Amino acid sequence: MDRLVKPNVKELNLVFVKNHMCRTTFELTNLMHTLPVAVFLDTTNSSLLSITQRYLVIPPLGTACFTLRSQASNQPPLSAHAANILVRSSMVLNPKNDQESLRAMFSKPGPRIFKDATIPVSFVGPEVVSFLLSMARGSNIVDTPLILSKSISYCNDVDLNLLLKSAAMFGDYYCVNFFIHNNADVNNRDVNGKSVMSMAIESGNVDVVRVIIESGFVIDHTVDRFLHEAAIVNGVDIMEVLCMSYLDLDINSVDLCGQTPLHICAYRGHIEVVEFLVTLGSDPDVVDNYGWTPLHCASSEGHVRVVEFLLNACHYVKYALTKEEKSAIALAYENDHRDLYDMLYLGDVLHKAATINDIYGLEKCLAEGVKVDGKDQNGWTALHRAAFKGHAKSVKILLDHGAHVDLVDNTGCTALERAVDMGHAQVAVLLVTRGARVNLKSFIDQVDMNFDLEGVNKHRSLVASFC
């Protein structure tokens, strides 16, 4: 015979409740038909677990009940088996069976002491899973699947839905998938109407968003602002999944402040999201409840790349005023974002000076460090404007300050072509002498078409010599 008693369980599960003593019961049965058996129960973690009646005598074929208790704690042990109960037994040959006699009996190991069982003890329940989720971001808990499988039977529908939201909030794909497959409701919302999808988006995990969509999540367009939420977390990949999965999503939808998703990502400087939304058709000229455009938002926070992109994407709002009568450049200055001075103001001054041949204005702008090749919404540089107007002196100043002579505008035209179109022979010659590329035949044809006869005769040979 290798054992004298038999436990009624193979393992014990304690339902953990934060800061409460947890308990459960189990039984041991004496397998001897004629003799009583003494048992001694111990745990591998006495600071965590305790057992009532550690020493006991069980009559022949009798059964004894024991209670296992845990100490109150604010967090459960995060392992599949927190501790073990060790069961030892011995036939009672001595009529004395008081606690001291039994303690003395088991303190002397020998062939009459049987090691009958080792019972694993685990902590389970929704609070264990919740704590596990909160720790998963910084810890690699290898027993996670086993803890989940043990705990799920101790969770009701309310527990499951709460745990699903927690898993989504932490971006835990494995747990989200596990809870969904165990009948958690992806369309359950909390008392404030917040959905599991919102929490998944906030986590930034596109795989979690995708599995929630695939599990049948239904959008409520009256309250859900998922594109706004994706804009906050710079989730361009999440936006792509949402737009592909829900074709009725309005990319120009507004929140309570009248802001579109484009306002949100512009304010935060999320350039990839800005580019995605504008490409998809988001309106860069729309204003919120306070008169702010996305350009105002980006300028107030000093997001250079976003400001540059929006200036090329919008047509009317560069000088638009908020309800407080502030322009984008005013907001940039107010917040000391002086690196936007060129884009929002100085570049326009340069273009205006080139247009009206304001030599002093040109030199002042260039001295202040303006980008000489800065383009407007049509792709024109200051050189295009000066050449188009025939201002040779302005053209020379711009070229002397490094203007690239062959930059093209949005229609593919260079400054030389603009000068020729308007019949400005002197400017055309100047540009050619400064390295402007030109096709001889087409250039001469343009000269013949646009220059007056006297200008053609005067400049044809010089033009040809530089072509």
Side-chain angles (χ1 to χ4, degrees), residues 178-199:
F178 177 85
F179 295 133
I180 289 174
H181 279 82
N182 280 275
N183 301 317
D185 183 5
V186 294
N187 287 301
N188 178 267
R189 295 174 183 258
D190 64 19
V191 293
N192 297 315
K194 191 166 186 178
S195 67
V196 66
M197 179 65 82
S198 286
M199 297 177 182

Side-chain angles (χ1 to χ4, degrees), residues 56-78:
L56 190 67
V57 175
I58 306 175
L61 298 180
T63 297
C65 184
F66 299 85
T67 299
L68 175 68
R69 295 181 297 191
S70 71
Q71 299 298 318
S73 174
N74 62 355
Q75 66 181 61
L78 288 183

